[in-house]
Amino acid sequence: MDFTGPVELWQKEGAPGCPQKGLPCSPDSSELVQECLNQFKVTTTQLRQIQASLLRSMEQALTGQASPAPAVRMLPTYVGSTPHGTEQGDFVVLELGATGASLRVLWVTLTGVEGHRIEPRSREFLIPQEVMLGPGQQLFDFVARCLSEFLDAYPLGSQEYPHFLDQRF
């Protein structure tokens, strides 16, 4: 697909100059706009190729076959069950932001269908660029430090939480 940038479109032969800013312009701007938009049209075949490439990249990343700078970064996650609305107890949640630039630590108490609602406590941590781009061990060390700092700020008392890896799926 040939790319003609916006400046090149305006500078085609025969396009008169715009007197206000000294930029060339087209006498029929709707044709010019349509010509620009046509460059962004994607065929069904192209969409299927993009879909297949994305799926291949995700599968490679999940199996550890990704290159040093993968197109898609993935971590395998597991969901033991879906929520049903009657969950009760204290839960600590770790959430990586959509861009990977932040980590949110959240402590929430769920009371099930009955009882009063307790507001969650949370704190957001900005992830340094070198941690985002570094090895996974560096990220997990950062997460552990943030969790420790959060628990120091919001002590959970003598409560004990089951270790995630001890749960059976």
Side-chain angles (χ1 to χ4, degrees), residues 81-123:
S81 64
T82 56
H84 43 78
T86 59
E87 293 79 14
Q88 294 182 351
D90 291 301
F91 297 87
V92 176
V93 179
L94 302 173
E95 175 190 33
L96 282 174
T99 62
S102 65
L103 168 74
R104 187 168 66 137
V105 180
L106 175 76
W107 174 21
V108 64
T109 301
L110 300 179
T111 58
V113 291
E114 296 180 17
H116 61 283
R117 178 182 156 97
I118 298 173
E119 290 299 315
R121 298 173 206 151
S122 69
R123 181 158 175 209

Side-chain angles (χ1 to χ4, degrees), residues 20-47:
Q20 294 172 337
K21 293 191 178 185
L23 298 173
C25 65
S26 170
D28 186 358
S29 61
S30 64
E31 278 184 39
L32 183 58
V33 168
Q34 192 57 46
E35 193 175 333
C36 275
L37 292 175
N38 285 339
Q39 296 176 46
F40 295 98
K41 287 185 179 177
V42 180
T43 67
T44 303
T45 302
Q46 290 170 319
L47 280 175

Side-chain angles (χ1 to χ4, degrees), residues 2 7 25 44 50 59 93 99 108 116 119 127 137 166 169:
D2 292 336
V7 173
C25 65
T44 303
I50 293 168
E59 288 170 349
V93 179
T99 62
V108 64
H116 61 283
E119 290 299 315
I127 302 174
Q137 182 68 40
D166 290 340
F169 296 101

Side-chain angles (χ1 to χ4, degrees), residues 49-96:
Q49 290 171 341
I50 293 168
Q51 178 187 20
S53 176
L54 184 59
L55 183 59
R56 205 170 28 256
S57 293
M58 288 189 293
E59 288 170 349
Q60 286 175 342
L62 285 172
T63 59
Q65 299 173 13
S67 62
V72 177
R73 293 178 183 215
M74 307 259 318
L75 290 173
T77 60
Y78 305 94
V79 176
S81 64
T82 56
H84 43 78
T86 59
E87 293 79 14
Q88 294 182 351
D90 291 301
F91 297 87
V92 176
V93 179
L94 302 173
E95 175 190 33
L96 282 174

